[in-house]
Amino acid sequence: MKGKFITFEGGEGVGKTTQLRMIREYLDQKGVDAVFLREPGGNAISEKIRAVILDRANDAMTGMCEAMLYSAARAQLCEEVIRPALEEGKLVVCDRFIDSTFAYQGVARGLGSEKIDTLNKLACSDIMPDLTVFLDLEPTLAFERKGGADADDRLEQEGMDFHIKVYEGYKLACQIHGDRIVDIDCSSEAEVTHRKIVDALIQRGILDR
Ligand code: TMP
């Protein structure tokens, strides 16, 4: 495919939204034709699935049901939006993707990597990120920065043990996929983190200098 695909990953409160805004402004200034998406979501069907997953009323949802709903939302996003954009040669930037399912459902919910790898392959077929930016900040610091968990978000409402496992899951993904995932320490100011991300994108040949 002609385009490039990059994904942003990280736990709650690490500053992902801020970094996505900054990279969007940077790409706009450079005149890069980029499509910004979020997971779960990015199209009408996947946004509906998102609402079901995050609804606090659904606290009886099993880990496998959750993993399959994330995968269902991803399958729709891949075929409806990501593949056509890549075929047109666009840069696609997605807020979360397969590594979220690995860290949250595979590790934190304990489903294991084998089932998650199978689900991810079914959902994505040949669509894989060219580069994944992992925003690395320990969950205790991240929640301090964020000022607590969002009351309306079922996943955020999980306890600190859960978020520590998510973090460990991401660190494991960084070890397994060191060729694809770049681990960016984001404990400093947002501007410093932004610079590191831009440098990584240039080094990996996603952006020109
Ligand atoms: P957001 O907070 O980045 O909008 O993401 C929504 C929540 O969904 C967040 O708590 C992470 C979670 N999530 C998973 O548990 N598995 C996944 O595969 C994805 C994409 C997100």
Side-chain angles (χ1 to χ4, degrees):
M1 271 171 275
K2 288 189 286 174
K4 293 267 190 234
F5 181 29
I6 58 177
T7 57
F8 277 63
E9 294 282 358
E12 324 294 329
V14 298
K16 198 157 48 65
T17 308
T18 305
Q19 289 306 323
L20 280 161
R21 182 182 41 77
M22 291 173 94
I23 202 74
R24 189 176 202 148
E25 285 165 7
Y26 178 89
L27 294 172
D28 272 354
Q29 275 172 13
K30 290 247 164 198
V32 177
D33 194 4
V35 178
F36 279 78
L37 302 168
R38 74 163 176 183
E39 273 229 314
N43 66 90
I45 293 170
S46 307
E47 288 292 338
K48 283 185 185 164
I49 298 174
R50 177 189 179 94
V52 173
I53 300 172
L54 298 182
D55 186 346
R56 284 200 67 190
N58 291 336
D59 58 0
M61 188 181 290
T62 68
M64 183 48 84
C65 175
E66 195 177 89
M68 289 178 131
L69 286 175
Y70 280 116
S71 300
R74 181 164 306 135
Q76 187 67 28
L77 183 69
C78 281
E79 293 310 316
E80 189 178 327
V81 187
I82 299 179
R83 185 184 301 283
L86 292 176
E87 279 170 354
E88 278 177 37
K90 291 188 174 148
L91 175 65
V92 177
V93 183
C94 197
D95 178 353
R96 298 193 182 281
F97 202 61
I98 49 173
D99 303 294
S100 284
T101 318
F102 177 80
Y104 282 79
Q105 282 70 47
V107 176
R109 295 265 192 244
L111 294 185
S113 59
E114 218 170 291
K115 287 182 183 133
I116 299 304
D117 285 351
T118 304
L119 281 176
N120 281 341
K121 278 194 196 107
L122 286 170
C124 307
S125 70
D126 58 337
I127 293 179
M128 273 298 278
D130 294 289
L131 182 75
T132 296
V133 175
F134 169 53
L135 297 175
D136 188 341
L137 186 66
E138 288 196 18
T140 39
L141 295 174
F143 274 96
E144 221 170 83
R145 192 187 265 183
K146 187 178 157 50
D150 181 346
D152 296 327
D153 186 315
R154 195 171 59 83
L155 272 285
E156 277 201 26
Q157 282 298 314
E158 295 284 345
M160 191 46 79
D161 286 357
F162 178 83
H163 294 291
I164 290 170
K165 283 191 207 146
V166 169
Y167 181 71
E168 288 167 359
Y170 273 128
K171 293 300 266 188
L172 182 59
C174 289
Q175 276 176 30
I176 300 171
H177 305 290
D179 49 335
R180 171 173 62 81
I181 307 180
V182 51
D183 185 331
I184 305 270
D185 172 88
C186 56
S187 53
S188 322
E189 293 91 71
E191 194 50 55
V192 176
T193 305
H194 172 64
R195 205 54 248 172
K196 288 183 196 164
I197 294 171
V198 170
D199 287 347
L201 294 180
I202 292 169
Q203 264 174 25
R204 302 285 183 121
I206 308 280
L207 296 179
D208 298 329
R209 195 164 285 281

